[in-house]
C-alpha cells in the first residue's frame, strides 16, 4: 500500500521563510515543501501606506506663523500688535453706546470686553491676514439693512389717506409755476428746481419725505376705454358705457363675483366656429357654434360653448360661459406645468410636456391660445390620432387639470418634501 500524499493549494508558492526550524539532527532536504500562506482574494494586498498625491502645506508656508529659535508663535496681520488688530472702543464710542443702549446691555458689554484680552485672541485664535481670509469678526456697531431691525421714522409720519396727485392737480402746480416765473429767469433751471420741490402726493408732507412705511400708495388704474371723464360721468349717473347697464353683463358679474374692469382685462379668444344644421319637421334650422377660451394670464383659464341662430348671440354666450367656467391651473414657477400629463377625449389623444425656461410654447395654435390665457410660457405638446378642434381643446383642459403636485405625491407616500433650491441656493434659482 502506497503512502498518502498531502494536498496543497496550487496557487500557493513554497516559501523558505515559513518552514519550521528543523531539529538539529535533521536537514531541510528531509522536510517537505510547505506552502506560503496567502489570502485568496481578487484585490491586491496593501503592502504599505500610499504616499499623498500632494505634499502637505505648512502654516509657515502660508505666513501664519513666525519660526523662532525657541518657539513658534502665530502671527496676524504681519506681526501687528494686539491694539492695532483688535482696538478698544474709544471714549466717544463708549459715550455714544451708553446713550443708545440699556444700562444692563452696556454693563454686559463692559464685562465681556474685560474678560477677553486681545493678546489671547491673537495667540489662540490665529486670525488670518491673507487675502483669502474669511471675515469671522463682526462689528456690531454697524447696522445692516438685511440682518438688523431697520430704523424707522416716527409713527406720526404715517398718513393713511396719502394718495398720488391726479392730472388736474399736476396741471394746477404747473400753472402756478408758470405764473411765478420772472422775465429774467432761465426756464430750464427753474423747471429743474420745480421738479425737485414739487410733491407727488396729497397728504402730510412728512409721509412723503420721511415715510414711516416704504410701501407706496396704490397707483390709479385707468384704461383707454374708460377715460377720466367717463369715470366722472358714470359716478354722477350721466351716461357712461352701455356694458355696465347690460342685464347679461350684470348677471355675469353677480355669478362670477368679478367687476366690470376685471372682466374687461380678461383675454378672450375664439377657437372654433362652424355652422350647425338641425333637421326638424319644419325643415332645416341653421345655427352657429362658437368655442371660446378665457383667462386672466395668471393661472385662471376656462372654455365655453355657445350656439344660436344669430352669430352675435352665439359669440356672447360662448364668451360668458368661458368666463363662468374659469378654474385655477397649477403652474411650476408660474411658467410651465408639473411633469408630463396626458389627455384623451373621444379619438383625440395628446400629451403636454414640461420644458425649461426660454423654450416657449411649441404646439398647435389651439393649445397655444389656451396656454396664453392660462399664463404658461414654456410648454411642449404632441397630438396623436384624431385632431378634431373641439376634442383637442377639451383634452387640453383635461390634461392641465390632471396634474399631480409633488406635495400630493409626498403626502400620499408619507414623505416630507424639501425644495433643495431654497435650502442650498437661498432661493436664487
Amino acid at each position: 500500500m502506497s503512502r498518502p500524499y498531502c494536498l496543497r493549494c496550487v496557487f500557493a508558492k513554497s516559501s523558505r521563510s515559513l518552514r519550521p526550524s528543523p531539529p538539529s539532527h535533521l536537514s531541510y532536504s528531509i522536510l517537505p515543501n510547505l506552502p506560503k500562506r496567502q489570502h485568496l482574494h481578487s484585490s491586491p494586498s496593501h503592502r504599505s501606506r500610499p504616499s499623498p498625491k500632494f505634499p502637505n502645506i505648512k502654516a509657515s508656508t502660508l505666513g501664519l506663523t513666525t519660526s523662532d529659535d525657541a518657539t513658534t508663535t502665530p502671527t496676524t496681520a504681519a506681526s501687528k500688535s494686539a491694539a492695532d488688530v483688535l482696538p478698544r472702543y474709544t471714549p466717544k464710542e463708549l459715550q455714544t453706546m451708553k446713550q443708545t443702549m440699556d444700562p444692563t446691555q452696556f454693563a454686559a458689554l463692559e464685562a465681556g470686553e474685560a474678560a477677553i484680552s486681545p493678546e489671547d485672541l491673537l495667540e489662540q485664535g490665529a486670525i488670518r491676514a491673507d487675502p483669502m481670509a474669511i471675515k469671522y469678526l463682526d462689528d456690531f456697531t454697524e447696522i445692516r439693512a438685511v440682518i438688523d431691525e431697520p430704523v424707522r421714522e416716527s409713527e406720526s409720519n404715517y398718513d393713511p389717506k396719502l394718495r398720488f396727485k391726479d392730472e388736474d392737480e399736476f396741471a394746477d402746480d404747473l400753472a402756478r409755476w408758470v405764473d411765478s416765473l420772472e422775465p429774467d429767469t432761465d426756464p430750464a433751471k427753474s423747471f429743474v428746481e420745480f421738479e425737485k420741490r414739487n410733491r407727488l402726493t396729497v397728504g402730510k408732507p412728512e409721509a412723503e419725505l420721511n415715510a414711516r412705511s416704504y410701501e407706496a400708495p396704490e397707483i390709479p388704474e385707468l384704461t383707454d376705454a374708460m377715460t377720466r371723464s367717463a369715470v366722472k360721468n358714470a359716478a354722477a349717473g350721466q351716461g357712461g358705457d352701455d356694458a355696465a347697464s347690460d342685464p347679461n353683463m350684470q348677471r355675469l358679474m353677480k355669478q362670477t363675483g368679478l367687476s366690470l374692469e376685471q372682466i374687461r382685462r380678461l383675454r378672450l379668444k375664439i377657437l372654433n366656429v362652424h355652422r350647425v344644421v338641425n333637421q326638424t319637421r319644419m325643415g332645416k334650422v341653421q345655427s352657429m357654434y362658437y368655442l371660446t377660451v378665457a383667462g386672466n394670464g395668471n393661472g385662471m383659464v376656462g372654455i365655453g360653448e355657445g350656439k344660436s341662430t344669430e352669430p352675435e348671440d352665439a359669440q356672447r354666450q360662448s364668451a360668458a360661459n368661458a368666463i363662468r367656467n374659469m378654474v385655477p391651473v397649477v403652474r411650476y414657477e408660474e411658467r410651465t406645468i408639473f411633469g408630463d400629463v396626458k389627455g384623451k377625449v373621444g379619438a383625440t389623444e395628446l400629451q403636454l410636456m414640461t420644458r425649461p425656461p426660454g423654450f416657449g410654447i411649441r404646439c398647435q395654435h389651439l393649445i397655444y391660445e389656451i396656454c396664453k390665457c392660462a399664463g404658461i410660457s414654456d410648454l411642449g405638446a404632441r397630438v396623436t390620432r384624431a385632431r378634431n378642434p373641439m376634442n383637442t381643446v377639451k383634452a387640453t383642459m383635461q390634461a392641465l387639470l390632471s396634474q399631480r403636485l409633488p406635495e400630493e405625491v409626498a403626502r400620499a407616500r408619507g414623505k416630507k418634501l424639501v425644495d433643495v433650491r431654497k435650502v442650498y441656493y437661498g432661493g436664487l434659482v
Side-chain angles (χ1 to χ4, degrees):
M1 185 174 182
S2 62
R3 187 182 65 175
Y5 291 94
C6 297
L7 298 178
R8 64 175 181 175
C9 181
V10 295
F11 301 101
K13 183 172 63 175
S14 61
S15 175
R16 188 177 295 272
S17 60
L18 295 179
R19 296 177 185 176
S21 58
S24 57
H25 62 281
L26 296 177
S27 62
Y28 277 106
S29 60
I30 303 176
L31 295 176
N33 292 332
L34 296 178
K36 181 181 179 180
R37 297 180 181 179
Q38 292 183 349
H39 296 284
L40 299 178
H41 201 276
S42 60
S43 60
S45 60
H46 298 280
R47 297 183 178 180
S48 61
R49 183 179 179 182
S51 59
K53 195 172 184 180
F54 300 99
N56 295 333
I57 301 176
K58 299 182 180 180
S60 58
T61 307
L62 296 175
L64 301 179
T65 59
T66 55
S67 300
D68 301 335
D69 296 337
T71 58
T72 301
T73 59
T75 180
T76 313
S79 301
K80 291 184 179 180
S81 61
D84 297 335
V85 179
L86 301 172
R88 294 285 186 176
Y89 287 108
T90 61
K92 185 178 180 180
E93 293 175 347
L94 291 175
Q95 186 67 20
T96 304
M97 289 188 294
K98 194 172 183 179
Q99 295 176 358
T100 56
M101 289 185 177
D102 191 73
T104 56
Q105 295 178 350
F106 186 74
L109 178 64
E110 287 184 335
E113 289 288 326
I116 302 175
S117 63
E119 291 80 6
D120 185 45
L121 285 177
L122 289 179
E123 294 178 1
Q124 304 296 333
I127 303 175
R128 294 171 55 179
D130 55 289
M132 303 302 296
I134 303 175
K135 296 181 180 179
Y136 292 104
L137 304 180
D138 293 332
D139 188 0
F140 293 102
T141 59
E142 298 180 358
I143 297 178
R144 299 184 181 181
V146 179
I147 301 176
D148 301 331
E149 183 178 358
V151 179
R152 301 187 181 276
E153 299 295 336
S154 175
E155 294 184 0
S156 60
N157 294 358
Y158 175 70
D159 187 6
K161 298 181 180 180
L162 188 69
R163 64 174 180 83
F164 282 105
K165 292 183 178 180
D166 55 11
E167 295 179 0
D168 298 336
E169 293 171 342
F170 276 113
D172 296 341
D173 295 342
L174 187 60
R176 284 193 295 267
W177 169 75
V178 173
D179 296 339
S180 63
L181 283 178
E182 298 181 0
D184 56 345
T185 57
D186 188 5
K189 294 183 179 179
S190 180
F191 185 75
V192 172
E193 295 295 332
F194 165 74
E195 284 186 330
K196 292 181 180 179
R197 291 183 288 100
N198 190 33
R199 291 185 52 195
L200 303 178
T201 58
V202 177
K204 290 184 179 180
E206 300 84 2
E208 179 182 353
L209 303 178
N210 297 323
R212 165 72 179 178
S213 175
Y214 296 99
E215 296 181 359
E218 295 183 358
I219 300 177
E221 298 178 355
L222 294 176
T223 60
D224 297 334
M226 183 176 288
T227 58
R228 188 173 301 278
S229 59
V231 173
K232 292 182 180 179
N233 295 336
Q238 303 174 359
D241 198 352
D242 297 337
S245 59
D246 187 9
N248 297 324
M249 181 62 66
Q250 292 180 359
R251 187 185 310 111
L252 180 62
M253 293 167 59
K254 291 180 180 180
Q255 292 174 346
T256 58
L258 302 176
S259 63
L260 181 61
E261 286 300 313
Q262 291 175 343
I263 294 177
R264 283 177 170 173
R265 292 196 206 101
L266 296 177
R267 180 187 176 95
L268 294 172
K269 187 68 177 180
I270 300 175
L271 301 180
N272 186 26
V273 180
H274 62 264
R275 186 171 60 92
V276 181
V277 179
N278 185 22
Q279 181 68 42
T280 64
R281 65 175 183 173
M282 304 298 295
K284 296 182 179 180
V285 179
Q286 298 183 1
S287 301
M288 294 300 297
Y289 172 85
Y290 278 79
L291 179 62
T292 308
V293 60
N296 62 351
N298 193 21
M300 294 288 292
V301 66
I303 58 174
E305 299 173 310
K307 188 186 299 183
S308 177
T309 56
E310 297 293 335
E312 292 80 6
D313 295 341
Q315 182 178 355
R316 179 183 53 81
Q317 291 178 15
S318 64
N321 292 333
I323 296 174
R324 292 190 191 97
N325 297 335
M326 283 197 309
V327 291
V329 174
V330 293
R331 297 174 298 165
Y332 176 68
E333 295 181 348
E334 297 184 356
R335 60 173 186 81
T336 185
I337 60 176
F338 284 88
D340 299 348
V341 291
K342 295 182 179 180
K344 183 179 183 302
V345 174
T348 302
E349 296 181 0
L350 55 83
Q351 181 181 10
L352 306 181
M353 296 159 287
T354 179
R355 286 296 180 261
F359 185 83
I361 308 176
R362 304 184 187 180
C363 53
Q364 60 162 285
H365 66 285
L366 299 175
I367 305 177
Y368 175 85
E369 295 296 340
I370 296 177
C371 293
K372 292 294 288 184
C373 293
I376 298 175
S377 57
D378 300 310
L379 186 80
R382 183 183 296 109
V383 181
T384 58
R385 297 185 63 188
R387 300 190 177 184
N388 182 274
M390 294 184 294
N391 292 344
T392 301
V393 172
K394 296 176 183 179
T396 303
M397 289 295 300
Q398 182 189 98
L400 290 176
L401 298 178
S402 64
Q403 301 180 56
R404 294 192 64 188
L405 297 179
E407 291 82 1
E408 297 177 357
V409 179
R411 192 182 303 112
R413 298 182 181 181
K415 303 292 183 180
K416 181 179 179 181
L417 184 67
V418 177
D419 193 349
V420 296
R421 300 176 307 162
K422 297 180 180 180
V423 176
Y424 295 101
Y425 302 103
L428 298 179
V429 293

